Structure formats: C-alpha cells, structure tokens
Amino acid sequence: SAVISQKPSRDICQRGTSLTIQCQVDSQVTMMFWYRQQPGQSLTLIATANQGSEATYESGFVIDKFPISRPNLTFSTLTVSNMSPEDSSIYLCSVSGTSYNEQFFGPGTRLTVL
Amino acid sequence: AQRVTQPEKLLSVFKGAPVELKCNYSYSGSPELFWYVQYSRQRLQLLLRHISRESIKGFTADLNKGETSFHLKKPFAQEEDSAMYYCASFSGSARQLTFGSGTQLTVLP
C-alpha cells in the first residue's frame, strides 16, 4: 500500500486568499485524485491528476478555482483560490494502488475560511 | 451516472449485537463496490471489496444485484467497530470512486 502525506494538516485562512495543499506519495503512482469533504457530507471528487497532462475536473469544479499541479509521479498540489467560507472543508488526496480500482487516502487537510 | 445511497446517517447498536449498514447503488454496468472505514482521528481506509468475497474484522458484504444492494454486516459488533463507514462504487470507464454519504456507527458498551 502507498503511504501518503499532506501539508498542511490544517489551516485557517482569510476570505479572498489562496492556499496550496501538497500531497506526497512514497512510491510512483500514475493516478492521483483530489477530493473535498464538506462538513457532514460525503467525499466529492474534485479532479483527477495524471502526470504529464492537464487535470480532469468533475462537474462543478473549475481550474481557475482549484488549479492542480502534477510535476512528477510522487507529488501533486491543489490550490484553493480566492477562498470564501463555503470552501471550508477537508481536502483529501488519494492515489490508485496496484489494483486499478483500489485507492489509498492521505490524512486530509482541514481548511477553515473566515 | 453512478449513485450510492446510504440511508442511515447514524446507527447505534450494543456490543455483541448484530449490525447491518445499508448501501444501495445505481449503476448501469457491472458494479465494483467497496466499503471504506474511517476510525476516529485516522485516515480513510479500505475495509473490503465485493470482488474479493472476503471477511475483514468480522465484516462481510454481499452484492445483491436484484436489490442493487451491498449491505455491510457483522454478527457481533465490538466497541472498536465504532467509526464512519462509506460505501463506494467504482466506474471502470471513468476510473473513479463514487461515495455514499456515510453511516456513523456507534457500538455501545
């Protein structure tokens, strides 16, 4: 199984600012995913990030608001831009395992926007 | 589009009692279904997958295509089973997981 770390683990930010969340994996993986978990809600996929190509965003999420980088096979960043209180959520990074339908999750980044 | 429904947001049972967490899915193809668990202050982790037909920590889940269900069961609940449980389906074409809304299980002493 992959070991995934995220930075920061939590942050409190002011409205209108941006935050970049880092996801580091201990092995090379093809597919990385970013999810959002709003308070009391389930996980919602934001985008799929593959190395060497543009991220694929799900309905309701756009690149201007959630730009993603995937510079190599072990690292990705998600930026939450121009934040508002509605962006307060836990943001999770996950990766596919050796079995294509298995995913491993990072510990999450708890974001609070004031 | 895939949809996964977990009708119970909260579920409480006493230690030693049977527990069943419900999950229903809608998917036009052949579904691949999973149960994920998140213990307090721990990360989300895979509990079991239907294709393996396995029993993990005493939990089992059977795919019932007629009822489009994938309920999670355990005959004798333990206090350490208290956690948030998510049912999820995998789309092979999109290569992504769709999660249900989750059920918070509390096992009372």
Side-chain angles (χ1 to χ4, degrees):
Chain A
S1 64
V3 177
I4 305 165
S5 60
Q6 285 184 234
K7 286 183 185 179
S9 58
R10 58 177 62 222
D11 207 342
I12 300 173
C13 301
Q14 295 296 321
R15 179 196 296 262
T17 62
S18 297
L19 175 72
T20 295
I21 302 167
Q22 299 179 6
C23 178
Q24 180 77 52
V25 191
D26 68 341
S27 57
Q28 293 184 338
V29 294
T30 304
M31 300 183 78
M32 296 179 79
F33 306 88
W34 286 99
Y35 288 84
R36 180 174 73 182
Q37 186 174 25
Q38 293 178 301
Q41 305 291 320
S42 185
L43 287 81
T44 302
L45 182 64
I46 297 172
T48 303
N50 293 329
Q51 195 266 338
S53 63
E54 294 284 330
T56 303
Y57 288 82
E58 298 302 306
S59 175
F61 298 97
V62 294
I63 189 170
D64 290 346
K65 176 67 176 177
F66 297 102
I68 287 171
S69 79
R70 182 80 201 273
N72 57 51
L73 290 173
T74 63
F75 187 78
S76 178
T77 67
L78 169 76
T79 299
V80 187
S81 304
N82 188 25
M83 289 184 284
S84 66
E86 293 71 38
D87 294 320
S88 297
S89 291
I90 297 173
Y91 291 86
L92 296 118
C93 167
S94 78
V95 304
S96 289
T98 52
S99 176
Y100 72 99
N101 56 6
E102 183 175 8
Q103 287 190 21
F104 299 99
F105 286 83
T109 295
R110 183 179 293 273
L111 170 62
T112 302
V113 184
L114 303 177
Chain B
Q2 296 182 81
R3 177 170 266 179
V4 179
T5 304
Q6 292 180 251
E8 303 142 327
K9 214 172 177 69
L10 303 170
L11 182 63
S12 295
V13 299
F14 286 101
K15 177 182 171 182
V19 62
E20 180 179 71
L21 292 88
K22 291 184 167 50
C23 171
N24 289 90
Y25 66 91
S26 65
Y27 184 56
S28 56
S30 296
E32 295 186 59
L33 291 153
F34 303 82
W35 277 98
Y36 281 79
V37 61
Q38 189 167 26
Y39 300 101
S40 179
R41 298 191 187 86
Q42 294 187 29
R43 66 186 66 193
L44 193 64
Q45 57 187 283
L46 179 65
L47 179 63
L48 56 79
R49 67 199 85 187
H50 92 271
I51 203 165
S52 303
R53 294 184 150 273
E54 56 203 340
S55 173
I56 303 292
K57 299 184 179 183
F59 284 98
T60 58
D62 291 320
L63 179 63
N64 185 322
K65 291 187 178 181
E67 296 181 358
T68 60
S69 68
F70 187 57
H71 303 328
L72 183 68
K73 301 176 185 178
K74 185 169 182 177
F76 307 103
Q78 302 299 314
E79 289 182 69
E80 55 265 30
D81 295 328
S82 295
M84 191 71 167
Y85 291 81
Y86 292 97
C87 183
S89 73
F90 179 81
S91 162
S93 58
R95 293 216 160 192
Q96 65 185 52
L97 282 170
T98 299
F99 286 87
S101 53
T103 298
Q104 177 68 50
L105 173 66
T106 302
V107 181
L108 304 166

